[in-house]
């Protein structure tokens, strides 16, 4: 099946359009993925800070209890 120049140009143009759309979609997904990773990292840092605060608080309470027990016994 032979294609005329006009048909070949149309096919070429539609393939180009499809490639452009694919590249655009990939780029947008990368941007979204980067944004989502930023959100995940932010949540992870907050969680780690909260855990660190809880550890410090627990250690402070344990020292306080140890001091009271040491004074009483």
């Amino acid at each position: 099946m032979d294609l005329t120049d006009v048909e070949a140009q149309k096919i070429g143009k539609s393939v180009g359009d499809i490639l452009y759309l694919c590249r655009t979609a990939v780029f947008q997904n990368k941007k979204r993925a980067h944004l989502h990773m930023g959100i995940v990292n932010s949540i992870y840092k907050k969680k780690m800070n909260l855990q660190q605060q809880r550890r410090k608080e627990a250690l402070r309470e344990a020292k306080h209890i140890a001091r009271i027990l040491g004074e009483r016994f």
Side-chain angles (χ1 to χ4, degrees):
M1 177 173 163
D2 291 331
L3 297 175
T4 64
D5 289 340
V6 174
E7 289 172 333
Q9 287 176 351
K10 285 181 183 177
I11 292 171
K13 190 171 186 177
S14 63
V15 169
D17 291 342
I18 292 169
L19 289 174
Y20 172 76
L21 291 173
C22 289
R23 284 189 206 115
T24 303
V26 168
F27 177 72
Q28 288 175 352
N29 285 336
K30 284 182 182 178
K31 283 176 61 178
R32 286 186 189 126
H34 183 70
L35 175 66
H36 292 301
M37 285 307 297
I39 292 169
V40 168
N41 285 337
S42 175
I43 292 169
Y44 178 75
K45 286 179 184 178
K46 287 179 184 178
K47 182 178 177 182
M48 293 306 290
N49 286 337
L50 183 60
Q51 286 178 347
Q52 188 177 18
Q53 288 173 353
R54 287 179 179 166
R55 265 191 224 111
K56 286 180 182 179
E57 191 175 313
L59 183 59
R60 194 173 330 135
E61 288 182 33
K63 287 180 181 180
H64 178 71
I65 292 170
R67 191 183 78 231
I68 291 173
L69 290 174
E71 290 172 359
R72 288 190 184 174
F73 301 103

